[in-house]
Structures are given as structure tokens and as C-alpha cells.
Amino acid sequence: MGIEVEQLGPGFFAELRGVGLKDVAERDDAYALVRAAFEEHSVLLFRDQPVTDELQAAYSKRFGPLETAKAASLGEGTPYSILTNIDRATGGLVPPGHKEELRAKANQLWHTDSCFKIPPALASVLSARIVPPSGGETEFASTRLAWDRLPASLRVKLEHAYAWHDYAHSRGKIAPQLASEREKAAMPPVSWRMRWRNPENGRDALYIASHTFAIDSMTDDAAQALIAELTALATAEGHTYQHRWRAGDVIMWDNRAGLHRGRPWPADKPRHMVRTTITATDADGLAEMWPARAAA
Ligand code: OGA
Ligand code: MN
């Protein structure tokens, strides 16, 4: 199979041409090529895909088991997380202050998906179904490249540090009651090592997000200051890549090695995206993320 890989971002993020979701779903050689590109570039873009929920799931399943959408989110209990401002009941747009609008705001904080879950996510696959005429981009940063930019002394410290992640923490930055009691009960805080090593290529990445609220043996204030500093370093100007969506675009990103955030768009324009999320396994380097848990 001849595929073309064009790197679009600063050291990561590549567009693939000559291969699509259907090829990966159906052919082992296509999967192997795309998997290798994923390990290398961290974020992959496919344009002009004839995307349906079923095709997206068939593609995603190649990479590992699929997550079930979380408690109380649209798509709960299915493999599809739906990010939309279209009200399913009326077909109109949700009013200002609606939960989906607040969720979109929370997604505009730099994060990696599902670090607040056990197990966390290897990758997310997001497809654009309806895009607004302006805004609504998604911006990416590499925490693998950020790791390499850290002072060596900090890398040594973070390698063996454990951080705590909580869905309610990031939601709380937008609105105090955004995470419901049911969501909080379903997703209590969890901790992971702050460095995720990719077993395929040995590359290390910093594992933090807007969900991160504490670090073992630090005060919460000091931990939050450090997380803010590390996020700023990872997402500094010149180190990010912003994707302007077209309907039919599909992007897969490595949640072990990056941060991403949504960008705002005019409230009177519809935007509808569907995400499938692939669960990390020990083959993806998960065992090292919590040795105590792996040994238990
Ligand atoms: C996501 C996400 C941002 C966006 O799907 O995980 O963060 O731009 N999306 O929709
Ligand atoms: Mn996300």
C-alpha cells in the first residue's frame, strides 16, 4: 500500500493520504501502517472520510477495546461520545448556559482524554459531522516534545511522581455544579505516573491535563502551580497546531503523548462531532503508570 504522510505540526501531527478508515477496518497491512504513523506522529488527520458511527467504531476497535461514554454524557452507555450544541429533542441549538455549552467550554481547557478513568485512554478518534463556518477548531500540543524541553532535573523528579486526576476538578473551573453527583460517584479521583513511556519507541511524555489537581508529596497549591507551569511550557506559542475542521475530517490523537483543546465558535452556529475512545492496555505502556496497581 502506498500511503503519503505529511507532517503539518511542529514535530508532530501528520495528515495521511492514500489510506482511510475503511482500509484500516478491513486490512491488516493498512492497520499496521497507520499504527506505526500513530506511534510516530501522535496525531493523525484523515480528510474526506465517508464516516458513519459504525465505520468509526470498526476503525477504532483495531487499536484496542473501546470505552463506553461516561455517566450522564450524551451517548452514555454507547461507544460514541457526542459533542454537539444541537438539542436532540427540538433539533434547534441549545440555549446559552445549557450543559452542552458548558461542556464545550470545559473542553476548551488543555487536557488529555480520560486520565480520570481506570483504565485511561490510549487514543481518541474524533469525526466532524457538522462544522461552523468559523471557529470551532481543535488545537494540539505534544507532551512528548515538551518532555524533551524540560530541564533534566525536572525530568528526573517527574519520572517517579504521581499525579491525581478528577473529572469534577476540570468541570469545576467552568461551573461549580457541572459534574453531577452521579458523574462524581462514577469517576472518583485516580492517580497515574506523570511520565508515560511509549513501549514501541521508548519516547517519554508528560502526562497531565486540566483534570490534574494534586501530586503526591506536594501541597495542592504547589502541585497546581507546577501543573500550570508544565501546561504553559507544553502549549507555548510555536509548539501547538490548530486544525480547522471540514465535515468528513477524522483526527486520531494519542492521549499518552499530547494535550488538546477545543476553540470557541459562534453560539448561533451548529457544531456536531462524534468521538470514539480507545482504552489503554499494558501493551500501550499502562503497566508502568501505576506499578502498585499492576502488581496488585
Ligand atoms: C474531545 C475534545 C475538542 C473539540 O473530543 O475530546 O476535547 O474541539 N474535543 O471538539
Ligand atoms: Mn478531549
Side-chain angles (χ1 to χ4, degrees), residues 13-223:
F13 195 116
E15 178 177 349
L16 299 190
R17 286 186 290 266
V19 66
L21 269 61
K22 194 163 179 291
D23 303 304
V24 172
E26 291 173 357
R27 297 174 50 170
D28 291 345
D29 60 342
Y31 168 67
L33 284 167
V34 172
R35 178 82 198 210
F38 165 75
E39 301 290 0
E40 185 178 343
H41 298 281
S42 301
V43 190
L44 302 178
L45 164 66
F46 301 87
R47 294 267 198 195
D48 300 317
Q49 296 298 301
V51 70
T52 60
D53 288 355
E54 293 69 30
L55 177 60
Q56 188 170 334
Y59 168 89
S60 303
K61 268 189 211 152
R62 278 291 201 164
F63 294 81
L66 299 192
E67 239 182 43
T68 298
K70 63 182 162 283
S73 75
L74 289 178
E76 177 180 356
T78 79
Y80 309 105
S81 290
I82 299 161
L83 292 80
T84 191
N85 61 351
I86 302 172
D87 187 325
R88 212 186 306 206
T90 65
L93 298 185
V94 300
H98 188 275
K99 192 159 185 187
E100 290 312 316
E101 190 201 72
L102 298 175
R103 281 207 181 113
K105 283 216 171 83
N107 265 338
Q108 290 164 21
L109 305 171
W110 284 109
H111 67 282
T112 193
D113 294 330
S114 299
C115 60
F116 48 81
K117 285 190 169 181
I118 303 175
L122 165 67
S124 298
V125 178
L126 185 64
S127 63
R129 308 297 178 91
I130 299 173
V131 300
S134 65
E137 300 86 354
T138 307
E139 191 173 7
F140 297 89
S142 168
T143 56
R144 177 189 287 177
L145 297 174
W147 181 265
D148 295 344
R149 294 200 302 277
L150 291 176
S153 58
L154 195 50
R155 284 203 297 261
V156 169
K157 190 173 141 187
L158 294 176
E159 192 176 359
H160 301 293
Y162 288 79
W164 286 85
H165 312 276
D166 186 2
Y167 178 73
H169 177 69
S170 55
R171 302 305 103 163
K173 294 176 187 176
I174 302 301
Q177 299 313 320
L178 187 49
S180 66
E181 290 310 315
R182 202 155 80 79
E183 285 173 312
K184 285 186 206 165
M187 297 179 287
V190 325
S191 84
W192 303 110
R193 190 189 286 269
M194 294 182 76
R195 178 216 64 191
W196 198 319
R197 176 165 289 168
N198 179 315
E200 212 45 54
N201 53 28
R203 296 292 303 273
D204 289 335
L206 181 64
Y207 194 59
I208 54 166
S210 56
H211 316 297
T212 315
F213 68 95
I215 298 172
D216 279 350
S217 73
M218 284 181 90
T219 65
D220 283 4
D221 282 353

